Amino acid sequence: MSTVLELADVTVRRGQATLLDQVSWTVQEDERWVILGPNGAGKTTLVQLCSAQIHPTSGVAGILGEVLGTVDVFDLRPRIGYTSAAVAERIPRDELVRDVVVSASYGVVGRWREHYDELDHDRARALLVEVGAGKLLDRTFGTLSEGERKRVQIARSLMTDPELLILDEPAAGLDLGGREDLVSTMTVLANDALSPAIVLVSHHVEEIPPGFTHALMLREGRVMAQGPMAEVMTAQNLTLTFGMSLMLTYEDGRYAARRRTRRHVG
Ligand SMILES: Nc1ncnc2c1ncn2[C@@H]1O[C@H](COP(=O)(O)OP(=O)(O)OP(=O)(O)O)[C@@H](O)[C@H]1O
């Protein structure tokens, strides 16, 4: 089993602010992690680091067997599938969905003059079908609903057959149906032995797809808890992480959390 991520005492500072504070974390290739934490906890900073977009201020970040700072990030990035709101914003609204996906082969957003062969197009088509977006092939990105856009972005992030898939808040902005559809897609991905290691950022325990194996909780740049899902997903850890007394339930592979009220005490 190979190690996909190996962070040792990683700190990221910007001016006076400490965005990540001595984070140590290891991810193996068959693991599926969810990163939970409140707004501003450092989740996006952590996955930007893991996708080789930023460097640590101190500490060592090992990604896919390379050490950040000693490797050309342009060699590393194609090995990592990454979706985020920031990536989505860069996709031209008049781009055809098929081109949004296929252009990931070149690590670009927006087709220009690159050449793609039939195999690339076949793969893009197959990935869109896999995420339930096969019918969107000839639509333009700008005409899609938010849920459809998320699916297309996941297909795009899988285009290069990455060794690590990082999804930063893929359920943000989705309605209940859209979220549930996305959780189903993610459940299929999580349970496929051929899928790469997956890191999913979320604010909500309700979005954790069954089949996810591990959780890491962040607050103010520090790791509050990390490890196997069943051990880490406790009301106590969530309470510590979100700074509010929370109750946690688990049913049919899905978690739900809400504030503990006076009625629940004693
Ligand atoms: N360049 C910067 N200079 C100073 N502070 C920054 C900078 N970039 C980010 N921050 C701060 O770092 C903290 C962590 O940001 P980050 O985006 O990683 O959090 P997050 O957990 O992803 O938040 P959210 O859930 O709201 O998206 C935030 O308080 C943010 O304001």
Side-chain angles (χ1 to χ4, degrees):
M1 191 56 52
S2 72
T3 302
V4 173
L5 290 172
E6 196 161 18
L7 309 189
D9 283 335
V10 164
T11 293
V12 173
R13 284 197 202 92
R14 295 287 178 268
Q16 297 298 310
T18 302
L19 281 54
L20 290 178
D21 195 358
Q22 296 200 299
V23 172
S24 294
W25 181 36
T26 304
V27 173
Q28 305 292 343
E29 66 181 343
D30 63 343
E31 294 175 349
R32 284 86 175 87
W33 283 77
V34 63
I35 300 177
L36 291 165
N39 288 128
K43 303 179 298 296
T44 293
T45 306
L46 179 58
V47 293
Q48 282 176 340
L49 185 110
C50 295
S51 54
Q53 294 171 68
I54 60 170
H55 286 77
T57 309
S58 63
V60 179
I63 303 176
L64 301 173
E66 310 285 352
V67 174
L68 266 188
T70 68
V71 60
D72 184 344
V73 290
F74 293 101
D75 290 337
L76 202 48
R77 286 183 195 155
R79 298 170 62 194
I80 303 163
Y82 178 69
T83 75
S84 70
V87 174
E89 270 170 28
R90 284 172 26 223
I91 299 175
R93 291 302 180 255
D94 58 354
E95 184 90 341
L96 285 176
V97 163
R98 58 168 76 238
D99 292 337
V100 171
V101 178
V102 83
S103 60
S105 324
Y106 273 78
V108 294
V109 278
R111 271 195 74 171
W112 193 51
R113 286 189 191 150
E114 320 83 32
H115 173 75
Y116 301 99
D117 59 30
E118 211 35 53
L119 279 179
D120 291 328
H121 288 292
D122 287 348
R123 177 163 174 79
R125 208 173 298 125
L127 286 169
L128 281 164
V129 169
E130 196 178 318
V131 299
K135 290 193 182 133
L136 305 177
L137 210 60
D138 295 317
R139 294 269 299 277
T140 52
F141 192 69
T143 64
L144 304 182
S145 76
E146 202 50 43
E148 290 166 344
R149 283 183 199 172
K150 304 285 185 196
R151 283 162 185 270
V152 170
Q153 287 170 69
I154 293 175
R156 177 184 157 86
S157 65
L158 289 167
M159 183 67 199
T160 57
D161 198 11
E163 294 153 74
L164 169 62
L165 177 63
I166 299 177
L167 306 169
D168 190 351
E169 289 189 47
L174 298 188
D175 69 10
L176 183 57
R179 180 192 81 185
E180 288 305 295
D181 282 346
L182 187 77
V183 168
S184 302
T185 303
M186 293 295 303
T187 303
V188 172
L189 269 180
N191 288 292
D192 185 342
L194 295 177
S195 290
I198 305 175
V199 174
L200 167 72
V201 172
S202 177
H203 296 111
H204 303 293
V205 300
E206 290 77 5
E207 291 170 6
I208 302 175
F212 267 59
T213 59
H214 291 73
L216 180 145
M217 296 187 195
L218 268 183
R219 178 182 174 83
E220 293 173 3
R222 286 192 209 99
V223 176
M224 296 286 110
Q226 63 165 307
M229 191 69 77
E231 287 170 29
V232 170
M233 283 297 287
T234 63
Q236 199 180 6
N237 282 337
L238 286 173
T239 295
L240 194 68
T241 303
F242 286 87
M244 137 186 320
S245 185
L246 291 167
M247 290 174 57
L248 179 70
T249 56
Y250 179 72
E251 199 181 341
D252 291 336
R254 299 286 298 277
Y255 290 96
R258 64 188 163 121
R259 187 196 282 266
R260 183 184 290 274
T261 62
R262 206 179 288 259
R263 197 164 59 79
H264 299 114
V265 180

